[in-house]
Amino acid sequence: MRIDLHAHSAVSDGTQSPTAVMHEAANAGLDVVALSDHDTTAGWDEARSAAADAGVVLVPAIEVSTVWVGTDVHMLAYWPEASNDALQHMLASIRQGRRARVPRMLDRLAAHGVHLSEDDVRAAAGQAHALGRPHVADALVASAVVTSRAEAFDVWLGEGRPAHVAKPAPDLTTALDTVRAAGGVPVLAHPWGRGSRRALTEDALVALARAGLCGLEVDHVDHTDGDRAALRAIAARAGLVPTGGSDYHGAGKAGLALGACTTDEQAYTALRRLATRVES
Ligand code: AMP
Ligand code: ZN
Ligand code: FE
Ligand code: FE
């Protein structure tokens, strides 16, 4: 079984429709694929019918934006109940924070002589329910300020760059409780990717496991072989399920195909068991 538990569509900052992502998953030889758009469940219904057509199993998921000791931490939530009010309320509030951040990023760009309008960003964002830096990056590409999302992050939008604005998000432990109360299975996305390595020490991960965290995304493009070995050992010690996913974004992140990182069948089975055990 080939299982990829991390993929994005144009409902957040991927570049293909949920339908296209499901067909791409089948073409990539996947049996199971999670649609884990940032901070929204809006792609699930479309993905569900496309998955049935394409002959893949859909894991409905969300990559929830959270903050933990001042650092952005992304939390994958598998099989949460989409109709849960507290969950949808939290997601709506994160999306509102994302929308409010856009004009602030545009102000910073303008201060550096780069002029984009909110309409430019909205046009670049298309059907996206969760607006983010990648859409500002796409607008910068459309205006020929840069030639790729990667360049937009390197020059303007990445941490420490001139147009970076922090994203308001709930505390990781609040998000953990909310996801669990909605029957979801929380797994930390790329725990040692980019900035979050400093904050997510072994002690912190053990404490989070006690607080209800179920797994760690060990196999991810942002992790070196050494990181993966260390995280796998921590997961074993903390009783966390080790997972893997491609973090597919279509054309939005060059060189990352669906199935580039995968979850083994045993880990997938363990997560599914947790989904049925978690109370809603
Ligand atoms: P935001 O959630 O709005 O802060 O934007 C962060 C998102 O941008 C991440 O979830 C990635 O999908 C994407 N991203 C981060 N760094 C890069 C990069 N260097 N190139 C392309 N996309 C990136
Ligand atoms: Zn993304
Ligand atoms: Fe992420
Ligand atoms: Fe992601």
Side-chain angles (χ1 to χ4, degrees):
M1 278 237 282
R2 300 234 314 141
I3 303 160
D4 183 343
L5 292 183
H6 193 159
H8 298 273
S9 76
V11 163
S12 64
D13 57 6
T15 58
Q16 292 163 299
S17 67
T19 300
V21 174
M22 293 303 115
H23 287 281
E24 185 94 11
N27 289 339
L30 292 174
D31 302 287
V32 178
V33 63
L35 186 72
S36 56
D37 275 309
H38 299 281
D39 307 316
T40 179
T41 58
W44 290 8
D45 287 346
E46 182 187 323
R48 216 172 257 128
S49 43
D53 286 347
V56 292
V57 172
L58 170 73
V59 175
I62 313 160
E63 185 174 11
V64 184
S65 302
T66 81
V67 175
W68 171 255
V69 284
T71 309
D72 279 353
V73 172
H74 294 176
M75 195 183 74
L76 293 158
Y78 298 112
W79 305 285
E81 196 57 62
S83 61
N84 183 280
D85 284 343
L87 175 67
Q88 289 298 349
H89 186 267
M90 176 177 77
L91 297 176
S93 139
I94 299 171
R95 292 195 302 271
Q96 173 51 34
R98 286 175 162 282
R99 278 193 294 275
R101 181 171 67 143
V102 170
R104 297 179 58 212
M105 289 193 273
L106 298 184
D107 286 348
R108 300 263 174 105
L109 285 169
H112 287 81
V114 175
H115 298 280
L116 288 181
S117 68
E118 285 187 62
D119 281 346
D120 294 332
V121 176
R122 229 167 272 129
Q127 63 165 316
H129 289 245
L131 280 181
R133 285 181 286 167
H135 305 113
V136 177
D138 290 347
L140 287 167
V141 173
S143 306
V145 176
V146 294
T147 58
S148 66
R149 276 190 185 181
E151 188 188 345
F153 274 85
D154 285 348
V155 178
W156 296 107
L157 302 169
E159 239 182 278
R161 306 310 301 156
H164 180 263
V165 176
K167 180 176 56 193
D171 187 79
L172 173 57
T173 54
T174 305
L176 202 55
D177 291 346
T178 305
V179 164
R180 294 242 4 193
V185 178
V187 171
L188 284 187
H190 46 74
W192 287 359
R194 299 200 188 88
S196 55
R197 172 193 302 263
R198 286 187 309 275
L200 296 171
T201 59
E202 171 157 6
D203 285 352
L205 294 170
V206 167
L208 289 166
R210 290 205 188 99
L213 182 68
C214 295
L216 292 182
E217 189 182 45
V218 168
D219 286 305
H220 184 278
V221 65
D222 287 355
H223 295 153
T224 65
D225 289 347
D227 291 341
R228 296 180 197 201
L231 282 167
R232 205 175 295 282
I234 292 173
R237 286 196 288 272
L240 292 164
V241 178
T243 71
S246 63
D247 211 352
Y248 180 72
H249 281 73
K253 274 190 185 170
L256 271 191
L258 275 167
C261 289
T262 55
T263 297
D264 66 44
E265 202 170 333
Q266 200 187 342
Y268 176 61
T269 305
L271 292 179
R272 286 196 53 177
R273 283 209 195 96
L274 287 163
T276 56
R277 219 171 59 195
V278 173
E279 289 192 358
S280 55

